[in-house]
Amino acid sequence: MTLNLRRPILIGGIGLSAALWLLETLQHSGSEMGETALIGLAAAGAGYWWWKQQSPKLELALPEPLANREAAEKAIAASETAIKLLASEAPNSADPANLTAQLDRLRAELDRQDLRITVTGGKAVGKTALIQVLNSNWASQHQHKLSFPETAPLFANTNTDAKIGGDLVLFVTAGDITDSEFQTLSQLAAAGQRVLLVWNKLDQYLPEQQSQVLNSLQQKMQGILGTEDIIAIAASPNSIKVRRHQADGTVQERIEKQVSQLDALTERLTKILTEERQQLVWASAVREAASIKLEAKTLLNAVRRDRAIPIIEQYQYIAAATVFANPVPALDLLATTAISTQLVIDLGAIYQQQFSLDQAKTVAGTLANQMFKLGLVELSTQTITGLLKSNAVTYVAGGAVQGISAAYFTRIAGLSLIEYFQSQELENAPKGIFNLDQLTKTLQAVFTQNQQVSFLQSFVNQVASRLSSQVSGPETVKSVAN
């Protein structure tokens, strides 16, 4: 891998840093040492100010309502855009064709009349009994086909909880809801899923207890579900023992089976299916299209990341060589920010985010500023210094700590940009505009992930080995980049 000399930002920044270092070395050969130092510091300060800018924030629009045909078609179109991007950047992959087939099936179902009513909930809450009663006593009365898929019991194993989907979800509980049930209900509602909370086994509570449980459910779900969507039933009531005293003084006992108490639920279901049938289908299409788009985006991000990592590695070695060859600490930021600016432009091209020079400088300066404000520079430098003490050859070499630190910060900046770009929408994303808060959070997360001692030790050894084989001077940048 060779350094592309047509990158004026990178070469200019490194050249300016080298020139200022040269001025610094002249202090030892003339009587005007103070004047030369002053010129160097002034130039460094001017250069730093030139790179440092405030980045504007990205304003996010509120999502459009889900339950209409236009929203469904728009979601399908967005998924199609993601699939086309994937096909263009991974032409030899079979994934785009598979995803397109799913999307074609979804588009053909926009006017379907059959509905899928998913029944879900924890273990032993009566899901199967409820489905049996609905199929036998209610579903057959409707002209359109209704299916009732049942999920595996939720919360039995937190690592393998079932995926919940469908046009309408009946979330069944056997009493007041737990924190886990509340979280799942909240997530379903937030995703635009139509949900009814069905409290089953009503018959196992005394009348005063029934009111208490129902009131508790309504209070907990306030702002998430309407009170009309929280329904108490008894799908399969327990049989009761009936005793009858006879005239001769004997007592006869018999087991009397109780009738299901589903009227409140079937009335609500009938009303929803009458008034919202088509909206339920369209809302399902929106969610399924979003899932297909997410899969396409995940595959596309993997392709782009494979292209981006070698670029980050190239620039981290360029940063290490530049700072290693330049022992003036005040100038390190100037050189590495120039490298980061070119890195922003190159990574932006991979993620189809075209940056102007000013925008790229803003991003690079923001990343550098945030690293200082968050204390990442001091913490990392101390850690790297400690790890380098085990390598006597590189530790005694001038600029080793600064060079390896520069490489590390360049890598963190690059990985942060990858994570940030991957979180953005593929279509209609503002070009060259960054959300500073999101970028800072991403930087913190990436830094934390790459602070493990095992990773740092491996990274330090790798860069130190690379630096120890190089010589100081203009050839260093070229040889490290190769």
Side-chain angles (χ1 to χ4, degrees):
M1 185 182 298
T2 58
L3 177 61
N4 188 346
L5 296 178
R6 289 176 294 179
R7 292 166 177 159
I9 307 162
L10 175 63
I11 301 305
I14 295 175
L16 180 56
S17 177
L20 294 175
W21 170 73
L22 180 60
L23 286 175
E24 180 70 15
T25 60
L26 292 177
Q27 294 178 9
H28 304 288
S29 61
S31 60
E32 299 183 2
M33 179 176 60
E35 180 180 352
T36 304
L38 181 60
I39 294 174
L41 289 174
Y48 178 71
W49 175 86
W50 183 65
W51 295 102
K52 183 179 178 182
Q53 299 180 35
Q54 296 296 324
S55 76
K57 294 184 178 181
L58 173 65
E59 296 183 1
L60 301 176
L62 295 175
E64 297 181 1
L66 296 180
N68 58 70
R69 188 184 185 93
E70 181 182 0
E73 292 175 343
K74 186 175 180 180
I76 291 174
S79 299
E80 192 171 31
T81 298
I83 295 172
K84 288 180 178 178
L85 277 173
L86 176 62
S88 67
E89 297 189 27
N92 298 324
S93 172
D95 294 317
N98 295 334
L99 294 175
T100 298
Q102 295 180 41
L103 210 58
D104 290 342
R105 186 263 309 163
L106 187 60
R107 188 180 285 109
E109 291 184 352
L110 282 180
D111 295 314
R112 64 180 167 87
Q113 297 298 307
D114 300 341
L115 290 183
R116 297 183 290 268
I117 302 177
T118 300
V119 181
T120 191
K123 188 177 181 180
V125 295
K127 299 186 294 294
T128 302
L130 174 57
I131 291 172
Q132 291 173 347
V133 177
L134 286 174
N135 271 322
S136 60
N137 298 341
W138 176 73
S140 59
Q141 302 173 10
H142 293 268
Q143 59 176 332
H144 301 297
K145 180 181 178 181
L146 301 174
S147 60
F148 297 91
E150 178 183 352
T151 70
L154 303 181
F155 320 115
N157 185 333
T158 55
N159 294 323
T160 57
D161 278 348
K163 181 179 180 181
I164 305 172
D167 303 311
L168 178 65
V169 169
L170 303 184
F171 193 101
V172 185
T173 181
D176 205 352
I177 58 175
T178 64
D179 288 342
S180 297
E181 289 174 319
F182 175 79
Q183 293 296 330
T184 302
L185 283 163
S186 300
Q187 291 168 4
L188 288 171
Q193 177 70 66
R194 191 71 167 90
V195 182
L196 297 184
L197 174 55
V198 181
W199 168 31
N200 192 21
K201 303 187 179 182
L202 174 70
D203 58 301
Q204 298 181 10
Y205 293 79
L206 297 174
E208 60 270 20
Q209 294 175 322
Q210 294 174 3
S211 299
Q212 292 173 358
V213 172
L214 189 58
N215 287 335
S216 176
L217 291 173
Q218 291 173 347
Q219 289 177 3
K220 288 181 178 178
M221 301 308 299
Q222 188 174 9
I224 300 173
L225 295 179
T227 56
E228 69 278 9
D229 291 335
I230 303 173
I231 304 164
I233 67 166
S236 181
N238 290 332
S239 299
I240 61 174
K241 183 183 291 186
V242 178
R243 292 181 176 180
R244 178 172 293 180
H245 294 270
Q246 304 298 317
D248 60 2
T250 61
V251 178
Q252 290 185 345
E253 293 184 351
R254 75 174 190 277
I255 302 299
E256 187 173 290
K257 188 176 182 179
Q258 299 299 296
V259 178
S260 300
Q261 301 175 37
L262 289 185
D263 289 348
L265 176 60
T266 55
E267 288 176 7
R268 184 61 182 151
L269 285 172
T270 299
K271 182 176 176 62
I272 290 175
L273 267 58
T274 300
E275 299 178 355
E276 305 177 33
R277 173 182 293 275
Q278 197 60 64
Q279 284 76 15
L280 292 174
V281 172
W282 291 332
S284 289
V286 170
R287 291 190 300 274
E288 290 186 53
S291 179
I292 294 172
K293 177 185 174 183
L294 178 60
E295 185 176 354
K297 184 178 179 181
T298 300
L299 293 168
L300 179 61
N301 282 338
V303 171
R304 289 175 170 178
R305 187 182 182 89
D306 287 344
R307 294 164 53 199
I309 291 298
I311 293 177
I312 294 175
E313 291 176 346
Q314 177 188 18
Y315 284 123
Q316 76 186 27
Y317 289 126
I318 294 174
T322 303
V323 176
F324 182 67
N326 178 5
V328 184
L331 306 181
D332 293 348
L333 180 63
L334 180 61
T336 54
T337 306
I339 294 168
S340 296
T341 299
Q342 189 68 61
L343 179 62
V344 169
I345 292 176
D346 288 356
L347 292 182
I350 291 177
Y351 287 89
Q352 297 195 2
Q353 290 283 327
Q354 301 300 326
F355 292 96
S356 67
L357 175 59
D358 287 341
Q359 290 168 335
K361 287 188 297 183
T362 296
V363 176
T366 297
L367 285 168
N369 291 338
Q370 291 303 311
M371 285 185 187
F372 277 105
K373 289 180 180 179
L374 296 172
L376 309 188
V377 173
E378 182 178 1
L379 176 62
S380 298
T381 301
Q382 291 174 351
T383 304
I384 290 171
T385 301
L387 294 173
L388 264 179
K389 289 181 179 179
S390 62
N391 191 327
V393 176
T394 54
Y395 183 65
V396 298
V401 172
Q402 294 91 335
I404 295 174
S405 296
Y408 179 69
F409 299 142
T410 300
R411 185 175 186 84
I412 294 299
L415 294 177
S416 298
L417 288 169
I418 286 179
E419 294 298 324
Y420 180 88
F421 289 143
Q422 289 184 166
S423 70
Q424 303 304 297
E425 289 297 325
L426 294 176
E427 71 284 344
N428 301 323
K431 303 301 182 183
I433 299 179
F434 269 73
N435 181 326
L436 178 58
D437 290 338
Q438 184 180 350
L439 184 60
T440 300
K441 291 177 181 178
T442 302
L443 177 62
Q444 287 178 298
V446 170
F447 179 79
T448 301
Q449 294 166 6
N450 290 272
Q451 267 291 292
Q452 294 90 347
V453 174
S454 58
F455 168 79
L456 274 173
Q457 183 67 70
S458 175
F459 183 83
V460 167
N461 291 341
Q462 182 181 8
V463 180
S465 175
R466 193 105 175 210
L467 287 177
S468 64
S469 64
Q470 309 301 323
V471 294
S472 299
E475 294 299 322
T476 304
V477 175
K478 181 178 179 181
S479 60
V480 171
N482 287 335

